[in-house]
Amino acid sequence: MIKKDITIDLNCQFSLQIQSSSFSSIFKAFLQLLPQLLEEFFQKTLVSFAENEMKSTRKSFACKCCGNDTEFKWKTRHGKATCILTLFCWITLRQLQVECKRCGSKQYITRTLLDMESKKRVPDETRRKLALIGALTSFRVSEKIGSMFGWAINKMTIWKSVQLIGSKMEFMLDSNEQPRGEADGTGIGIKGIAKRGKELKVFVQHKKGGGIRVAGADIGNYNGSWKNIFQKSIEVIKSFNCPFLLMTDGDTSIFNSLKGKVEVLIQRCLWHIPYQAKYFLWKDSVKRKSKEWLHVVAELMEICAIRPLVDCQETIDAMLESKRNRLEKLMDYCRKQGYTHTKAYLENAREDMFTAIENRLEGKTTSKVERLFRTVNMRSKVSKWSKQGALNVTKVRLAYYYNGFDA
Ligand SMILES: [Zn+2]
């Protein structure tokens, strides 16, 4: 493909039967005209560009046999038909064929001119657009909306595009963004898959200008998923000149695959702690909203509330000491009351509650992933999915909403 502006004179002649002069008749007829016009336009433009190249010495193609890239003669401008998928419909192009003046071998140049791989029938651009449409709404709705605009692209093609584009998407940490992230999982409602045990795991990175980007995603029911997710980013974590701060809502098995390889500081999501504690209080049979229940929850809310923008080290130290004491007292209270589950939970969380503030790492100690889950989770509830299928559509959605993917 050579970049050079060319003027195309399009003089097409079309004959159409139109039933009446009503708006809908004319519009319907135009939609029928569209594919023909598109085909004609592609053909004409390709021939014009090819003519131009044939006249000049420099070619965008070389002979596949002898490597000659200057001397060719036309074989045909309307050769064997080939089909290519546009966003509207399939179009049939008559291939352009040239002959090498040096060795006499013939070759088609249509796809070279189109900047497409040989034999490929669906351009990447079409795939990406279809994948995005199919990831943003259901396949049935995609097909319906398309048909209103005169498209003739079926659900299967859209589905396939989502799968192809999604499966090729790779997420990892960006060394230009913050050395800070969150790892979280959520039960995912996948239609067609038994709900039990399937979890969408997402690793996000905080961006310098605020907001988040996705650095890893997987769907699985085992912790091996996390290993795969982190593996890709290990080198990036090493490239930061400070420890990586990873926030989580408590599933520490997440980090087993990182141990010993990189320096990672763990911060429990403080927002989650009082909520998770409610579950353990329930397990300990503490009556909801009872005096005892309220005491534990309210104390935890206070302990977990971190006032931002405190930049005096002495104040921070005093604040931490006070919070730690309060937490110890609360655990003591739980022990006395016989709340064994709640006490064990707090004991476990204690280590990683104040990591960020202790290390004077600014930033939020509450999770941003909640919202992300709400955003991406919806799509897999529509249509029937395999595990891989649901992951692929989720990846395309994540990439669109968080990583700037656009078609
Ligand atoms: Zn040749």
Side-chain angles (χ1 to χ4, degrees):
M1 184 196 55
I2 285 175
K3 280 188 179 165
K4 182 172 186 262
D5 284 0
I6 273 189
T7 309
I8 309 291
D9 295 310
L10 201 61
N11 304 304
C12 359
Q13 194 89 51
F14 292 111
S15 302
L16 286 170
Q17 300 285 321
I18 305 186
Q19 280 175 331
S20 80
S21 62
S22 73
F23 174 85
S24 80
S25 299
I26 299 175
F27 189 71
K28 207 169 132 195
F30 178 73
L31 292 183
Q32 281 169 1
L33 182 70
L34 213 54
Q36 298 174 53
L37 188 66
L38 194 62
E39 225 167 66
E40 191 79 23
F41 183 62
F42 263 89
Q43 189 76 41
K44 182 90 193 244
T45 307
L46 287 170
V47 170
S48 303
F49 271 89
E51 296 278 15
N52 212 281
E53 281 198 36
M54 292 299 269
K55 270 183 243 153
S56 62
T57 334
R58 205 175 138 229
K59 308 278 191 287
S60 61
F61 46 88
C63 172
K64 281 178 183 120
C65 285
C66 73
N68 157 42
D69 62 355
T70 47
E71 298 159 273
F72 291 92
K73 65 176 183 191
W74 274 112
K75 203 61 203 158
T76 175
R77 292 164 180 79
H78 290 84
K80 213 175 91 194
T82 189
C83 291
I84 287 174
L85 187 66
T86 71
L87 195 53
F88 295 107
C89 58
W90 285 96
I91 52 170
T92 306
L93 299 176
R94 312 292 301 189
Q95 297 203 71
L96 284 62
Q97 198 181 32
V98 294
E99 187 182 310
C100 172
K101 277 193 192 168
R102 282 194 203 159
C103 76
S105 78
K106 288 172 275 187
Q107 71 187 61
Y108 290 115
I109 55 164
T110 302
R111 282 184 172 71
T112 317
L113 292 166
L114 287 169
D115 200 16
M116 280 176 70
E117 285 166 44
S118 62
K119 290 181 187 145
K120 208 166 177 180
R121 283 151 46 94
V122 185
D124 283 335
E125 192 180 318
T126 305
R127 277 271 180 250
R128 286 163 67 88
K129 288 192 161 98
L130 293 178
L132 185 54
I133 297 165
L136 294 180
T137 186
S138 77
F139 298 126
R140 206 161 52 90
V141 173
S142 310
E143 191 183 69
K144 176 66 197 165
I145 293 174
S147 75
M148 291 195 287
F149 286 89
W151 302 356
I153 293 175
N154 63 30
K155 284 188 287 200
M156 275 312 290
T157 311
I158 299 170
W159 176 84
K160 204 175 163 200
S161 300
V162 169
Q163 296 307 318
L164 274 170
I165 297 294
S167 65
K168 278 190 268 176
M169 269 177 181
E170 294 270 8
F171 298 113
M172 61 187 288
L173 284 175
D174 181 346
S175 57
N176 295 313
E177 297 291 356
Q178 306 252 41
R180 205 169 69 205
E182 298 172 32
D184 203 353
T186 185
I188 182 166
I190 305 174
K191 212 173 149 190
I193 293 184
K195 198 170 183 167
R196 217 185 161 89
K198 283 286 172 279
E199 198 185 44
L200 168 65
K201 294 164 198 287
V202 176
F203 176 32
V204 305
Q205 180 179 20
H206 293 181
K207 295 205 288 188
K208 279 179 179 156
I212 53 173
R213 61 182 294 281
V214 177
D218 201 1
I219 292 176
N221 48 6
Y222 65 105
N223 289 319
S225 285
W226 284 116
K227 197 176 170 188
N228 296 335
I229 288 173
F230 291 135
Q231 202 59 45
K232 295 181 187 126
S233 292
I234 292 229
E235 289 310 311
V236 185
I237 295 181
K238 282 181 184 164
S239 77
F240 291 120
N241 52 11
C242 57
F244 189 84
L245 179 70
L246 190 59
M247 203 157 67
T248 169
D249 65 353
D251 180 9
T252 50
S253 62
I254 288 176
F255 316 106
N256 292 343
S257 66
L258 287 171
K259 271 181 197 151
K261 285 188 188 137
V262 284
E263 202 183 340
V264 173
L265 295 175
I266 292 163
Q267 166 72 54
R268 293 285 289 242
C269 170
L270 294 182
W271 184 86
H272 265 107
I273 286 177
Y275 291 90
Q276 286 173 336
K278 286 180 192 172
Y279 166 75
F280 291 102
L281 285 168
W282 170 80
K283 278 187 103 173
D284 286 327
S285 310
V286 184
K287 194 171 173 280
R288 205 181 143 78
K289 307 251 169 115
S290 64
K291 196 174 117 255
E292 296 78 12
W293 188 94
L294 286 171
H295 174 68
V296 175
V297 174
E299 279 299 295
L300 271 180
M301 291 273 188
E302 298 261 24
I303 293 164
C304 292
I306 300 282
R307 195 184 165 92
L309 306 172
V310 181
D311 59 1
C312 161
Q313 188 62 49
E314 282 87 357
T315 312
I316 292 172
D317 291 344
M319 227 165 75
L320 279 175
E321 204 195 323
S322 149
K323 282 185 188 290
R324 285 227 168 81
N325 285 337
R326 215 159 162 175
L327 185 63
E328 289 306 317
K329 269 187 201 147
L330 187 63
M331 284 182 347
D332 214 39
Y333 175 80
C334 288
R335 188 181 52 79
K336 279 180 195 145
Q337 295 284 335
Y339 304 159
T340 50
H341 294 100
T342 312
K343 182 179 170 283
Y345 167 72
L346 292 176
E347 217 152 46
N348 182 273
R350 177 172 54 175
E351 283 307 302
D352 307 315
M353 276 172 69
F354 306 112
T355 314
I357 186 164
E358 243 170 1
N359 289 276
R360 303 208 60 185
L361 295 163
E362 51 163 325
K364 299 272 186 314
T365 41
T366 53
S367 169
K368 292 180 182 178
V369 192
E370 295 295 316
R371 215 190 109 85
L372 174 144
F373 282 144
R374 284 199 299 275
T375 311
V376 295
N377 222 344
M378 295 177 292
R379 182 66 184 91
S380 61
K381 285 178 183 148
V382 194
S383 314
K384 214 167 177 182
W385 301 95
S386 66
K387 182 182 91 95
Q388 196 55 45
L391 176 61
N392 287 336
V393 75
T394 305
K395 280 163 79 182
V396 179
R397 285 177 74 86
L398 286 169
Y400 172 72
Y401 285 111
Y402 296 97
N403 291 21
F405 169 80
D406 207 344

